Amino acid sequence: MNPFEVELAHRLATVQEQGLYRQLRRVDAVRGVRLRMGGGTVINFSGNDYLGLTQHPRLRQAAQQAVARYGAGAGAARLLSGSLRAHHDLESALAAFLGTESALAFSSGYATALGTLSALVQRDDVVVLDKRIHACWVDAARLCGARLRVFRHNDLNDLERILKWARAQSQAGVLIVTESVFSMDGDSAPLRHMVALKEQYGAWLLVDEAHALGAFGPQGRGLAAALGVGDRIEIRMGTLGKALGAAGGFIAGSRTLIELLIQRARSFLFSTAPVPAAAAAALEGVRLVQSAEGEGRRHLLQARARQCLRAGLPVPAILSTDAAADSAEAWGAIIPLVLGQEDRALAAAATLHRRGLFLPAIRYPTVGRGAARLRISLSAAHSAEDVEKLVDALASVWPTAAAAVRVS
Ligand SMILES: *Cc1c(COP(=O)(O)O)cnc(C)c1O
């Protein structure tokens, strides 16, 4: 081996020793929540396709029609020649969906985060992140060069402490970033209180609704809409690859915000436009989640979540922290089973895989060290029998479920 290979092999060995080694698992075919892998079929409990829209005939058809009309790729960045009608139609639909003046699509949620923070904040500003925020915002905050502060997860007192400190730094602009439903814990942010706080301290608020759009809120408009604070949030971010069933990310907000992003967001300026098939499928996803069928799928998702709750699994309550009288409580679709040690989570995942259930161990750096877990992710495409199978299999790796199974 040459010195380059030796060095890299050494680094890989370190990853392995820590129980943090990751492997790609090849999926040969997808049918609903069933995956063909390694010669067998497993039920997927690890995706973010909360409503099963990735497999929906209408999204498939929209993608195919876009390919026929525009071709396989957009051919250029939007400001060069790639600003296709598919992108404009998607953005109009997203703005209407969230009730904002405007919206801007990016090729991924990750690119959305990187481009948006750098466009909005500068070196002397302060970016305040929830401790459990998705990695893309940590990277974006580092890239933009602003001062970075982290508050304890969902802790309003800790957030206020930082806002007080920031106010004392003369002229610093302050941007708070949170998720509405958190990707690895499945719990939700106290958005009403956060909106009140940021207004009190003159800060801006950015809310990432990656795991809420489509799945929660009136017509799937997410948590901010459910709590009636959508129009008080400066920057609303969403992804198109989860409940919406396609791919991409976007920002929704005022016309001025979007105009500024078009000038300044480098991941927008210097990147080829989203493939037209993805934009067209996402548009169909946005339409679908607002339809009666979308509502039906959200009901199914809730039924599966309640099934897990009855089985003793720690299903997070959504909208409970500051629920309004008019917003019905909902149960989360992400259920974290925190097992602690990395090898314990790996062993549990392997046990489940042998029983035909696919949910890989989630480890550092996706979650904290020693907070390794199985992350159950429910979909409207799961049947009651699928969930029953999961609950039965969990009895051997998750004591609470074991107890519940014995009782029932
Ligand atoms: C998935 C995710 C992203 C990134 O979106 P991609 O489109 O997958 O790049 C951003 N934020 C959160 C909370 C996510 O879960």
Side-chain angles (χ1 to χ4, degrees):
M1 281 205 285
N2 65 39
F4 174 73
E5 294 292 324
V6 169
E7 171 59 24
L8 267 51
H10 173 70
R11 293 185 196 179
L12 280 171
T14 310
V15 174
Q16 212 143 17
E17 278 159 26
Q18 294 170 332
L20 299 176
Y21 194 77
R22 286 155 151 87
Q23 271 173 309
L24 290 170
R25 310 289 200 87
R26 195 185 72 217
V27 173
D28 296 308
V30 179
R31 234 188 58 219
V33 288
R34 285 181 164 63
L35 308 177
R36 263 240 323 277
M37 332 176 47
T41 300
V42 293
I43 308 171
N44 185 13
F45 277 100
S46 65
N48 301 309
D49 184 10
Y50 301 114
L51 301 182
L53 295 194
T54 64
Q55 308 299 310
H56 198 286
R58 271 174 51 192
L59 272 78
R60 290 177 193 264
Q61 196 186 24
Q64 281 160 356
Q65 284 170 352
V67 170
R69 181 165 177 177
Y70 304 103
R78 295 277 295 280
L79 287 165
L80 278 177
S81 62
S83 195
L84 307 176
R85 177 169 185 160
H87 304 128
H88 291 266
D89 289 349
L90 170 62
E91 289 166 348
S92 305
L94 288 168
F97 182 42
L98 293 189
T100 60
E101 285 179 351
S102 200
L104 187 68
F106 292 73
S107 48
S108 73
Y110 196 98
T112 308
L114 294 192
T116 300
L117 276 207
S118 286
L120 292 178
V121 296
Q122 290 146 12
R123 252 168 45 101
D124 292 332
D125 295 329
V126 180
V127 174
V128 189
L129 302 177
D130 184 283
K131 172 80 178 143
R132 305 241 172 112
I133 196 82
H134 190 271
C136 67
W137 297 109
V138 177
D139 295 353
R142 289 193 181 128
L143 181 69
C144 76
R147 284 176 288 176
L148 178 57
R149 290 291 182 276
V150 175
F151 62 99
R152 283 196 296 272
H153 178 53
N154 278 345
D155 186 330
L156 293 161
N157 292 325
D158 204 36
L159 173 60
E160 184 164 22
R161 176 184 64 78
I162 293 170
L163 292 176
K164 276 187 181 142
W165 166 83
R167 190 168 57 182
Q169 317 289 303
S170 60
Q171 307 197 323
V174 180
L175 173 64
I176 305 166
V177 184
T178 187
E179 286 171 53
S180 63
V181 172
F182 282 83
S183 63
M184 291 298 140
D185 293 84
D187 57 346
S188 54
L191 286 184
R192 283 217 171 130
H193 298 293
M194 289 181 84
V195 164
L197 259 188
K198 69 98 186 169
E199 285 173 355
Q200 186 187 338
Y201 286 87
W204 296 343
L205 178 61
L206 185 157
V207 177
D208 176 344
E209 297 238 47
H211 295 274
L213 287 186
F216 300 104
Q219 294 180 294
R221 293 173 210 273
L223 217 60
L227 296 169
V229 292
D231 56 358
R232 290 162 69 190
I233 295 167
E234 285 82 5
I235 307 138
R236 296 168 74 186
M237 182 270 192
T239 60
L240 305 169
K242 287 162 182 155
L244 293 170
F250 73 94
I251 295 289
S254 69
R255 197 163 286 121
T256 0
L257 167 65
I258 300 308
E259 282 298 319
L260 186 81
L261 292 178
I262 292 172
Q263 318 307 314
R264 291 274 172 80
R266 294 168 67 86
S267 61
F268 174 81
L269 286 159
F270 303 115
S271 185
T272 301
V275 292
L283 170 59
E284 201 54 36
V286 173
R287 288 183 180 139
L288 225 145
V289 299
Q290 297 176 77
S291 70
E293 184 180 350
E295 193 61 29
R297 285 178 181 238
R298 278 188 293 280
H299 276 133
L300 277 176
L301 183 62
Q302 286 299 308
R304 296 294 90 85
R306 281 194 305 271
Q307 196 183 341
C308 289
L309 192 71
R310 285 195 300 273
L313 297 181
V315 183
I318 305 290
L319 299 177
S320 69
T321 36
D322 53 0
D326 56 354
S327 63
E329 186 163 290
W331 296 103
I334 300 163
I335 309 169
L337 304 181
V338 180
L339 294 164
Q341 283 312 310
E342 282 69 24
D343 51 358
R344 217 180 135 207
L346 281 173
T351 303
L352 295 177
H353 198 138
R354 280 193 296 275
R355 301 192 52 169
L357 301 153
F358 188 60
L359 53 166
I362 310 281
R363 291 160 288 160
Y364 180 85
T366 311
V367 295
R369 282 184 199 274
R373 66 196 62 188
L374 296 172
R375 170 185 181 267
I376 300 169
S377 180
L378 299 172
S379 169
H382 287 125
S383 66
E385 293 73 40
D386 292 340
V387 171
E388 215 167 288
K389 237 180 159 171
L390 172 71
V391 169
D392 285 348
L394 279 174
S396 60
V397 299
W398 183 255
T400 317
V405 167
R406 273 196 299 274
V407 169
S408 64

